[in-house]
Amino acid sequence: MHGRNNPLPPVIQEITKGSVVQYFEVPAIASAKHKGEEDFPVKHWWIIEPVARAIAVAEHLSPHEERVFTGVRSRTDGSETFAAAERIMSFIAHVNATTGWTGLSEIGAGNVSPHMFRRTMAMLTDQFPGSEIALGIQLKHTAARALANRVTQGYAAPAADWTRFLEQAVEAARFRGLRELFALHREGQPIGFGPGAEQLKDAFDSIRETVAAQGGDTLVEEGMLRRARISIRFGTLNNCLFDEASPAGAACLEKAVIPPGHTGPLVDRCRPERCGNSMIGTQHVPIWESEERGLAALLESPGLPPGRRAALERQRAETQAILRKAVQ
Ligand code: SF4
């Protein structure tokens, strides 16, 4: 869900019947009015059509007077009950009983609550390149919004005790990705498209030339690659070569209100179709092709409001601009 006005999304159990509305010609969930809070401003969270349809079905099936989703524990016949804490304990017991063949480490004692899983997943999705790509494949054109959503980013913000682990893990994952691209480039394989890819190729060539001049081998190359500290962020829909030492040309920073203390790109305003730092990796191309097909299908829908049609056409033109770079 995409929060326009409110930093917090609706808890799923708070979605009430009749709360799916059109907001700026896009389906959205409107926050519920609670007794005694009639003056509270209504907030909206944009959703995609399939979610709106799923809520309509759930609304139809829900036995509750107001709510769309209710806990199964509340069923009076006792046929199906679900207690999150019990399921988590049973999951941990299962993981710990099977470490012998799964190779996983044992989960230590301590309190584990459901929201920690949500936070952990969001955090890992945000931080690890492979997870982001998986998310992009699953969510397709929704991924840009999901990742741009400050709510998602908020969940993903690491807790203090995770910071050190994450920083090391992110750095390691990033270097692995960079090393793979370097190896591809050395073999003469394509590493990606667009101006960001050209920047990266130039950096790789310069490393190789320097090492060759010194008579070094691949180990020396790898050491130099590590020391070069090439700035790259592996993303779902593109890679970003933003360099803090030279921020000019970052499309996401144009006319942007930069939050105090923020450094680096504003990824929720990423413009891969025209930014000089954007690199469309070979793994991104199928996602953009799928996006283009999805938008073309959406544009075939009858009775689209003019504003929605114009927005979809703009999105499609941007997608086509990205694909043209890949074809070139
Ligand atoms: S627009 Fe995208 S690619 Fe360009 S600097 Fe910003 S985040 Fe990076």
Side-chain angles (χ1 to χ4, degrees):
M1 291 176 194
H2 190 82
R4 178 180 168 82
N5 298 326
N6 195 329
L8 292 173
V11 173
I12 199 158
Q13 287 195 351
E14 285 186 2
I15 298 173
T16 53
K17 292 182 175 176
S19 58
V20 174
V21 296
Q22 288 286 315
Y23 190 63
F24 286 85
E25 299 181 359
V26 177
I29 294 176
S31 59
K33 290 258 181 198
H34 294 291
K35 271 194 183 154
E37 291 180 358
E38 281 76 12
D39 294 339
F40 204 77
V42 175
K43 308 286 182 184
H44 294 89
W45 290 267
W46 282 318
I47 53 175
I48 54 172
E49 291 288 349
V51 173
R53 283 202 299 276
I55 293 177
V57 173
E59 193 169 318
H60 188 67
L61 296 175
S62 170
H64 198 275
E65 198 179 317
E66 286 182 357
R67 288 184 179 180
V68 178
F69 301 98
T70 56
V72 285
R73 236 196 194 312
S74 64
R75 289 189 183 171
T76 47
D77 64 4
S79 57
E80 271 183 82
T81 60
F82 182 95
E86 284 164 24
R87 293 299 170 109
I88 289 171
M89 293 315 291
S90 138
F91 170 73
I92 291 174
H94 174 74
V95 170
N96 288 348
T98 53
T99 52
W101 61 270
T102 60
L104 296 171
S105 312
E106 230 178 68
I107 300 174
N111 182 37
V112 180
S113 60
H115 91 276
M116 290 162 85
F117 282 89
R118 177 183 64 180
R119 189 180 177 92
T120 307
M121 279 311 296
M123 203 154 68
L124 294 177
T125 301
D126 181 64
Q127 300 290 352
F128 289 90
S131 316
E132 281 191 47
I133 291 163
L135 188 73
I137 290 166
Q138 195 169 351
L139 296 183
K140 298 196 173 62
H141 66 278
T142 318
R145 280 200 162 180
L147 292 172
N149 190 346
R150 56 196 163 128
V151 171
T152 313
Q153 298 290 330
Y155 282 143
D161 52 348
W162 273 78
T163 304
R164 206 161 56 87
F165 162 72
L166 271 176
E167 276 174 1
Q168 289 167 356
V170 167
E171 197 42 51
R174 194 169 287 159
F175 187 70
R176 268 200 312 276
L178 196 61
R179 197 172 51 191
E180 280 166 19
L181 289 176
F182 187 77
L184 282 177
H185 185 60
R186 195 199 291 116
E187 289 164 14
Q189 307 275 344
I191 59 167
F193 314 93
E198 297 308 316
Q199 278 184 41
L200 193 57
K201 285 181 212 167
D202 289 346
F204 286 167
D205 287 340
S206 151
I207 289 172
R208 295 197 61 207
E209 280 161 21
T210 310
V211 174
Q214 294 169 354
D217 57 10
T218 50
L219 270 181
V220 179
E221 272 181 359
E222 186 169 320
M224 190 164 248
L225 182 66
R226 197 181 286 276
R227 284 195 302 281
R229 301 194 74 79
I230 294 171
S231 168
I232 184 165
R233 180 186 185 277
F234 291 94
T236 323
L237 305 173
N238 68 334
N239 298 332
C240 169
L241 275 286
F242 179 89
D243 181 359
E244 274 179 37
S246 160
C252 58
L253 299 184
E254 286 169 11
K255 298 183 187 156
V257 178
I258 299 175
H262 177 88
T263 55
L266 292 168
V267 288
D268 55 330
R269 302 181 83 241
C270 185
R271 301 298 305 266
E273 79 286 3
R274 67 177 181 85
C275 179
N277 295 320
S278 177
M279 162 182 173
I280 303 298
T282 49
Q283 76 278 22
H284 298 125
V285 176
I287 298 175
W288 286 105
E289 284 171 343
S290 165
E291 165 81 346
E292 207 277 331
R293 284 195 299 274
L295 289 167
L298 275 176
L299 279 163
E300 294 291 312
S301 321
L304 273 181
R308 175 88 174 122
R309 176 171 293 283
L312 288 173
E313 277 169 355
R314 197 172 55 245
Q315 252 180 292
R316 192 177 180 204
E318 289 168 2
T319 306
Q320 287 170 336
I322 290 165
L323 286 171
R324 267 197 303 276
K325 280 187 188 143
V327 171
Q328 281 162 12

